Amino acid sequence: SSILQLEDPDCEEGSNPPCESVFSLNAEKILNQAKLFIEQKKIPFPVDNHNTNEELAIGYVLIGNGLYDEAIKHFSLLLQGDPELVSAIYGRGIAYGKKSLQDIKNADLALYELNRVITLEPNWPEVYEQRAEILSPLGRISEALADLTKAIQLQPSARLYRHRGTLLFISEDYVAAMEDFQQSLELKKNQPIAMLYKGLTFFHRGMLKEAIETFKEALKLKSDFIDAYKSLGQAYRELGDFESAMESFQKALMLNQNHIQSLQLRGMMLYHHGSLQEAIGNFKRCLQLEPYNEVCQYMKGLSHVAMGQFYEGIKAQTKVMLNDPLLGQKASSEYLKVKYLREYSRYLHSHLDIPVAEYNVDQDLPGNFKNHWAKNLPFLIEDYEEQPGLQPHIKDVLPQNFDSYSSDVQKLICTADHLGALMQYDTPGFLPNRRIHRAMGLATLEVMQAMHRTWSNSKVRVNGKTRQMQWRDMFDIAVKWRRIADPDQPVLWLDQMPARSLSRGFNNHINLIRGQIINIRYLAYFDNILDFIKDRILVYHGAYNPRGLLEVRQALENVNKVEDLLPIMKQFNSKTRDGFTVNSKVPSMKDLGKEYDGFTITITGDRVGNMLFSVETQTTEERTQQYQSEIESIYKDLTVKGKALMLSTELGDGDAVCNLILSLIYYFCNLMPLSRGSSVVAYSVVMGALMASGKEVIGRIPKGKLVDFEAMTTPSPDNFSKTAKSWMTLNR
């Protein structure tokens, strides 16, 4: 007779309610499924006895129908008769494994059973795969990978390669993951998900063009693959191709108009493209579908504030603040940022009717608030006094229509848009932002006007005071426009931070390579930096190990990639263990022969997959004073020559002014004095000051080039001036 008991043994006949099957399935249906299971030879570890196989099949049918407790009881009864019935041990292990998804305590029971099976039958790949499925949710990824590798050795399959590739992907071993997805696809071509993940391995390594081609291949396999369209949109966005990204997100939403991730990503891209009203439409739709979506709520609040709609903006921000994480749950980045945004929004609202030249964010906001905000720390500020709440007499900014402006204002805006577009980087990772273009174009025009007044011996109105313009006032014009363009980012002067935090130093840190992730924004500078590191290594060995210099030089000649430098340093320098640093120097114009600390390059790791290649500048008090004295000296010279230029017709005077302006920017970019936005602030000041001198920038920044990195990787202000002038195509 069957061991399977369909009726509840504790139920009395004739009771109310009447006795029911403990299963939703009836006995006949289960037995029929079990017979089919046997016919299709699906039973793992079958035995010679047909009745036993039938009982085993019933247990697996119970698992297939989600009746895990009943399956465990069923297999346990079988094991009472035969404690080493492998298929029953395996079935009970699978049932415990399925239960572990709801209650983690069952995972240990599942692993115990599967370990027993492997001891009895060590050559069955399915058992290793099952064990990997239980180990991976426990965070025991390396053990899970070892099990999948063993399963592949025993019997390779497309599924096993895809499974291992997925775990490698989670572990950020994107190269190995890509190889596994490729192997899986070679064994079985029609796998859209494997193709998608292969594309994602390229995406995370910064190989965007390869990612795009692979996502397109996934769409050939499955034309209605929403996640592939969404990923294609993300790749185009990272590449800076707004139109193609929009088209991809649109296709995802045509397949499912309620696809929240696509709405969220499209909304964020529209915000960063400067299309705020359209962005809000996406976030509203997202919140209709998922009212507690923190990303959409945060971005909706941010978009409203950026448009001057403070009441709606702060209401949305407050909703994010009320969404406290559960005990033990990690807070989202939106939750961590929203208190800063709300306080800054309140500050902006309270100053809405005050001219921008009459107040100073760096002086008004509390020091600890600025310090925490710039460092992206949790909002834990002692004795913090909140900004005033919304005041009814201060109205929101009224939406403006371009056609309602006077022709002079329209012309000003069009000129600003044109100038701002010239600042756009033609480099992967930089999405064109029309709002930033307009703001920084207007900054350029205001800098031009202010410099012209200064060189004509007029005073300017800055931070509530009328005075002769200083170098910081010139940059502050651009800083204020940059803040207006995007209130999400703290654009703050680092030397205006509390003395205690400044003495510790602010690190402006950029990862160029982290593990297998390449920062594509800076790819064009990798060769320059590699050559610079080689030169510094030779200088070091020339000073400390002159005898071995020739050998080091020969070894370095064969190095074409940054990741190959670490083994060479370990070979020739016993002090190099896990990594090394190289420092750049910036020559002084004021004190010839003197040098300042530039940036620090760090290379660490023991293998390519575990590598960190980064660049950072440290804004300490001493370093800041050195650079500021240099900038002050150049600015004084620039003011004298600028005033002379106003009275002169000599072309040479204009060239001297141009070189001084670019030298000023060279030191500004090497100092990195702002928490964000130093590069675009610097370039708008260059363009404005040059326009004041009678020269207009008409050239675009070349492909792959970045203003700040060009200054940081150029050995002198003269070299930087020559390079920058070749970009700008100056027009008189």
Side-chain angles (χ1 to χ4, degrees), residues 702-718:
K703 192 176 182 67
K705 295 296 184 180
L706 311 173
V707 174
D708 50 355
F709 249 62
E710 198 66 35
M712 288 163 65
T713 56
T714 303
S716 72
D718 285 346

Side-chain angles (χ1 to χ4, degrees), residues 2 20 61-62 73 100 116 154 163 172 190 259 395 456 478 533 538 559 577 602 684 688 701 713 718:
S2 171
E20 291 181 1
V61 168
L62 291 170
K73 286 177 193 171
S100 73
R116 285 177 67 198
L154 291 168
H163 192 166
E172 295 187 2
N190 191 15
H259 193 248
K395 303 301 180 189
S456 304
I533 296 170
L538 290 172
V559 172
R577 292 182 182 175
T602 303
S684 57
I701 298 169
T713 56
D718 285 346

Side-chain angles (χ1 to χ4, degrees), residues 78-187:
L78 284 168
L79 287 164
Q80 283 177 14
D82 183 355
E84 293 198 351
L85 184 58
V86 177
S87 189
I89 300 169
Y90 183 49
R92 192 161 67 176
I94 292 171
Y96 277 128
K98 299 288 185 186
K99 283 188 63 159
S100 73
L101 298 173
Q102 281 80 41
D103 186 348
I104 203 74
K105 287 182 288 188
N106 291 295
D108 287 336
L109 294 168
L111 290 172
Y112 173 75
E113 301 290 15
L114 295 176
N115 291 345
R116 285 177 67 198
V117 175
I118 286 169
T119 303
L120 295 165
E121 293 282 354
N123 295 322
W124 275 69
E126 292 88 349
V127 189
Y128 291 99
E129 187 179 12
Q130 282 289 341
R131 191 166 69 175
E133 283 189 7
I134 294 160
L135 288 165
S136 53
L138 299 174
R140 294 163 66 175
I141 302 294
S142 58
E143 293 171 74
L145 284 168
D147 272 355
L148 290 168
T149 301
K150 178 67 176 175
I152 287 167
Q153 288 167 357
L154 291 168
Q155 190 177 337
S157 71
R159 188 187 69 248
L160 285 170
Y161 276 116
R162 189 180 69 236
H163 192 166
R164 189 174 69 175
T166 305
L167 286 190
L168 289 164
F169 180 85
I170 292 166
S171 308
E172 295 187 2
D173 191 347
Y174 299 119
V175 173
M178 191 279 291
E179 290 169 359
D180 270 5
F181 291 128
Q182 184 58 36
Q183 284 278 8
S184 181
L185 287 160
E186 284 173 13
L187 291 169

